[in-house]
Amino acid sequence: QVQLVESGGGLVQAGDSLKISCAPEGRAFSSLARAWFRQAPGKEREFVASITASGDSTYYADSVKGRSTISRDNAKNTVYLQMNSVKPDDTGVYYCAAGPGAGGTRPIDYPYWGQGTQVRVSS
């Protein structure tokens, strides 16, 4: 029952910036890659961004590339997703994840997941 807890979601206006975070409860994840996925109602869960355990490499989905930044603070075991110029299409439940790989883009790459935080972008 490893727990990852997301925070920072909510209602934002299109064009605004948003920063969400995810921290584990009861386990240090500094040795694991971290990632963000999102899922809109009626759609499949999709990859957003990932970061390696060391933080030296990051990967982004084309839909968010150039306006998003994933980062991590290993002292706090926390990963962040900064999104600028948010769009209505960014609406969805955002999930943080952790896994032993090198920042893969598939949900199966990540055995540890949070419960998600809702992000709604109004137009």
Side-chain angles (χ1 to χ4, degrees):
Q1 295 185 346
V2 176
Q3 290 270 41
L4 291 166
V5 180
E6 301 94 340
S7 62
L11 178 64
V12 295
Q13 187 176 12
D16 287 352
S17 295
L18 177 71
K19 190 171 186 177
I20 53 178
S21 62
C22 175
E25 291 184 345
R27 189 183 190 276
F29 284 5
S30 60
S31 64
L32 300 179
R34 306 286 289 275
W36 288 97
F37 292 78
R38 68 186 182 189
Q39 187 170 18
K43 296 184 178 180
E44 296 293 321
R45 188 170 301 186
E46 65 175 347
F47 171 79
V48 177
S50 64
I51 186 168
T52 56
S54 65
D56 61 341
S57 297
T58 57
Y59 306 92
Y60 299 92
D62 288 341
S63 59
V64 304
K65 190 180 302 181
R67 61 187 181 92
S68 298
T69 301
I70 185 171
S71 61
R72 65 188 299 163
D73 182 348
N74 283 343
K76 299 179 179 180
N77 294 299
T78 300
V79 65
Y80 305 90
L81 180 68
Q82 172 79 40
M83 298 188 68
N84 302 321
S85 302
V86 296
K87 308 173 181 179
D89 286 346
D90 293 324
T91 294
V93 178
Y94 283 69
Y95 299 91
C96 68
T105 62
R106 303 175 302 168
I108 197 172
D109 293 330
Y110 300 92
Y112 307 110
W113 291 83
Q115 295 298 310
T117 185
Q118 178 72 55
V119 173
R120 291 187 178 275
V121 181
S122 62
S123 60

